[in-house]
Amino acid sequence: MQAAKLFASGKTSIATQATTSDPAASSVLITVEAKRAAATKEDAAKSVSALASELRASFDKQYAAAGKKNSADLTALSGRALATVALNETNQFSKAEIAAARLELRARDRQSTVSALASSDLTAASLKTYSRDLLTARSLMSNEEQRLRASNPGLR
């Protein structure tokens, strides 16, 4: 709300405007895409077992805070993290968590497709560009994501 008021008043720099009494707090909002990008960078340097252990601990912490199981927020996870959960090679995740990870990946694919198709007129050239971009994105995915997509027709 404060950010909207500052923007409306012509003040575009809201990074230092505190929203609470905490002097270290700011009203800067970090987008889900930025969180995913940061997670992707961090997760790339981890082994699959270390990543799975971190995810398990994170899920358990979220479940404890929410007071119920299978309530973890997967929206900010990297594609590699979601694939690690969906593949469940370390046997640390429940069937519900595996299904949720696959659903999140499908939702991201669907959103990407809708965005690409809605961004311009549907022509042979735009479809060619979309296909090329899709192949490039797939080639840049982690080994876990590529294996998951190869083994699951719903994620191709």
Side-chain angles (χ1 to χ4, degrees):
M1 193 65 111
Q2 285 181 332
K5 288 179 186 175
L6 287 170
F7 184 75
S9 69
K11 296 180 182 176
T12 58
S13 178
I14 60 172
T16 58
Q17 177 67 33
T19 57
T20 66
S21 60
D22 182 4
S26 72
S27 61
V28 174
L29 298 175
I30 300 173
T31 65
V32 172
E33 291 80 12
K35 290 178 183 179
R36 286 180 190 161
T40 298
K41 186 175 180 181
E42 290 175 17
D43 292 348
K46 299 173 186 171
S47 70
V48 173
S49 60
L51 179 59
S53 295
E54 284 183 21
L55 289 166
R56 174 79 270 144
S58 173
F59 291 171
D60 291 341
K61 184 177 177 181
Q62 289 183 51
Y63 298 158
K68 62 181 181 178
K69 279 205 148 265
N70 301 322
S71 59
D73 180 13
L74 306 180
T75 57
L77 294 180
S78 70
R80 183 174 185 228
L82 290 170
T84 298
V85 173
L87 289 170
N88 195 28
E89 294 172 332
T90 59
N91 295 318
Q92 295 185 47
F93 305 105
S94 69
K95 289 181 181 181
E97 291 165 337
I98 293 167
R102 287 182 179 166
L103 276 172
E104 178 64 24
L105 283 169
R106 273 192 222 111
R108 290 181 188 185
D109 288 348
R110 189 171 29 259
Q111 182 58 43
S112 173
T113 302
V114 168
S115 294
L117 294 176
S119 67
S120 65
D121 291 333
L122 188 59
T123 64
S126 67
L127 287 174
K128 181 179 178 182
T129 301
Y130 171 71
S131 296
R132 186 188 65 234
D133 292 347
L134 183 62
L135 288 172
T136 301
R138 297 280 166 96
S139 70
L140 297 174
M141 289 180 178
S142 69
N143 290 335
E144 294 79 17
E145 289 174 275
Q146 290 178 5
R147 278 198 327 271
L148 177 64
R149 289 178 185 281
S151 68
N152 190 330
L155 294 172
R156 288 189 183 160

